[in-house]
Each structure stands twice: as structure tokens, then as C-alpha cells.
Amino acid sequence: MGLVRVDLNISLDGYATTTDQTPEDPIGQDWQRLTAAYVATKTMQRKVFGQPDRGSDGIDENYAAAYFEGIGAEIMGAGMFGLHLHPDDPDWQGWWGSNPPFGVPVFVLTHEKRPTLTMEGGTVFYFVQSSAEETLTLARDAAGDRDVRIGGGIRTVRPYLAAGLVDRLHVAIAPILLGRGENLWADLRGFEGGYNVATEVAESGTIHVTFSR
């Protein structure tokens, strides 16, 4: 059985969500600041934006490449898939186009029943109304010997962290202050107990902190 992994971008003050979105800018400038170094890497430019000849090398790139390695299934919340913005659109297929950068079964936690969505490149979206633990069982069965990644957002990730179900948490801490949003560390006092903690500072100023069993 593989590991259960989480990779997140957070601010110096621990926020992993932003609050400056508008109908005209549904992503928001704060999110772009939060993820700028990650988005700029060669791996992200190639896999997400279809730009194989662009992107940065270095420590951020190492973590971006590792993000996709060994994954057999993914869990995400309805917000990460975009259902909060497209609740009544049966044709909405997520942010990633016809060939999402997952290539594995993806279990989307939602109260809304939707048919299974098969995409190019091996990505299949399953929309489930199960508990966190039940969904993890489904994902582990789908992943086989490979890892399960819990992709986000914070409301999806935090119950797995609180229940001690995550084997490895990697946070890329951007050198910015947000001051509002949803804080990753809320109600997780002492989370570091039982983990080995390693830190590494990238050329971008991003601090990569990894909690591993």
C-alpha cells in the first residue's frame, strides 16, 4: 500500500485560501501571488499549461516534479474542481481542459450527484458523497501500490490531517502575508508530533517544509 500525501501552497501566516476573488477575476491576485513560484516551474508549465520549453529549474522545480511522482489516485473537494462556481452547469469539466494533469482516478467530494467523467490521458473524475475515511478507502483501492494524494482545498485536507491519516505533508510557504482566508494550522496544535520535519529554502524564497512518517 502506498502513502497518503498532501502538497499545499500556504502563506507565511498559514493561509492556504484567498478571499480577493471577484466575478471578473474568479482566481484572484492573492492566489496568483501564493502560487507564483510553483506555477513558474518547468513541470507545471509543461503539464498544466502545455509549455514544454518554458519554466524555472531549481528547488521549486524539484518539488513540483515530485508532486506528480508515484500517484495512483487523487482526492479533492468540490471547490478545487470548481463546482462552487458552476453548481448548475452539467457540462462543467473542471479547470484543466480535456486532458487534466492527473492521469489517475480522481474522487471529488461533493453533495451533488454527477455522472462519472472520463477525460483524456487517464483522468477519471468520480463524484462521491462519502465520508473522508470512506473516500480514502475508495482511493486506496484505485491506487493499488501507488500513493494517494489529497489535493485540496483546506476543508478537504484538514480532516485527514486531524485524523492522523496523512503520511507525508509538504507545504510550500510563499514569502507573503495574507492575513485572512482559511488557515491550514487551525485546530492542529502539536501536529508535528510523530513526524520527521525537514525544511529547504528555494531560490524564489519559498520555504519547503515536509512532515514525514
Side-chain angles (χ1 to χ4, degrees):
M1 182 179 296
L3 301 176
V4 178
R5 293 163 42 185
V6 174
D7 290 86
L8 292 172
N9 295 280
I10 67 175
S11 64
L12 278 173
D13 46 351
Y15 291 98
T17 62
T18 56
T19 61
D20 67 333
Q21 297 87 346
T22 66
E24 296 75 26
D25 184 7
I27 294 177
Q29 295 301 303
D30 280 349
W31 180 255
Q32 295 184 42
R33 295 168 60 219
L34 188 64
T35 61
Y38 185 53
V39 168
T41 61
K42 283 186 174 179
T43 291
M44 289 297 291
Q45 287 294 311
R46 183 182 75 256
K47 293 186 72 70
V48 178
F49 300 102
Q51 300 291 332
D53 300 320
R54 298 180 59 183
S56 62
D57 281 312
I59 292 172
D60 289 325
E61 163 61 15
N62 294 341
Y63 283 93
Y67 176 83
F68 292 98
E69 292 175 354
I71 299 298
E74 176 114 4
I75 297 171
M76 68 174 63
M80 183 172 174
F81 187 78
L83 291 181
H84 62 306
L85 295 176
H86 303 272
D88 302 315
D89 183 357
D91 297 323
W92 175 249
Q93 298 185 345
W95 308 101
W96 306 279
S98 61
N99 189 2
F102 303 105
V104 296
V106 179
F107 297 86
V108 183
L109 288 163
T110 175
H111 298 296
E112 179 183 343
K113 292 185 178 181
R114 296 172 69 99
T116 297
L117 183 59
T118 301
M119 309 292 285
E120 296 176 16
T123 299
V124 181
F125 291 107
Y126 298 95
F127 301 90
V128 297
Q129 293 77 49
S130 307
S131 69
E133 291 81 0
E134 291 169 336
T135 304
L136 181 56
T137 297
L138 293 174
R140 277 179 159 156
D141 288 344
D145 293 333
R146 296 169 70 83
D147 295 345
V148 174
R149 181 174 58 222
I150 304 170
I154 289 301
R155 293 183 185 180
T156 299
V157 167
R158 194 184 287 122
Y160 290 99
L161 296 175
L165 296 173
V166 175
D167 299 304
R168 187 165 72 217
L169 167 66
H170 161 246
V171 290
I173 305 175
I176 64 172
L177 296 170
L178 293 178
R180 59 186 183 181
E182 291 203 41
N183 196 289
L184 173 63
W185 307 121
D187 301 319
L188 288 177
R189 177 181 170 86
F191 169 79
E192 69 280 0
Y195 288 89
N196 295 317
V197 183
T199 63
E200 191 172 15
V201 181
E203 298 85 350
S204 64
T206 301
I207 306 167
H208 294 273
V209 183
T210 305
F211 302 80
S212 301
R213 288 202 175 103

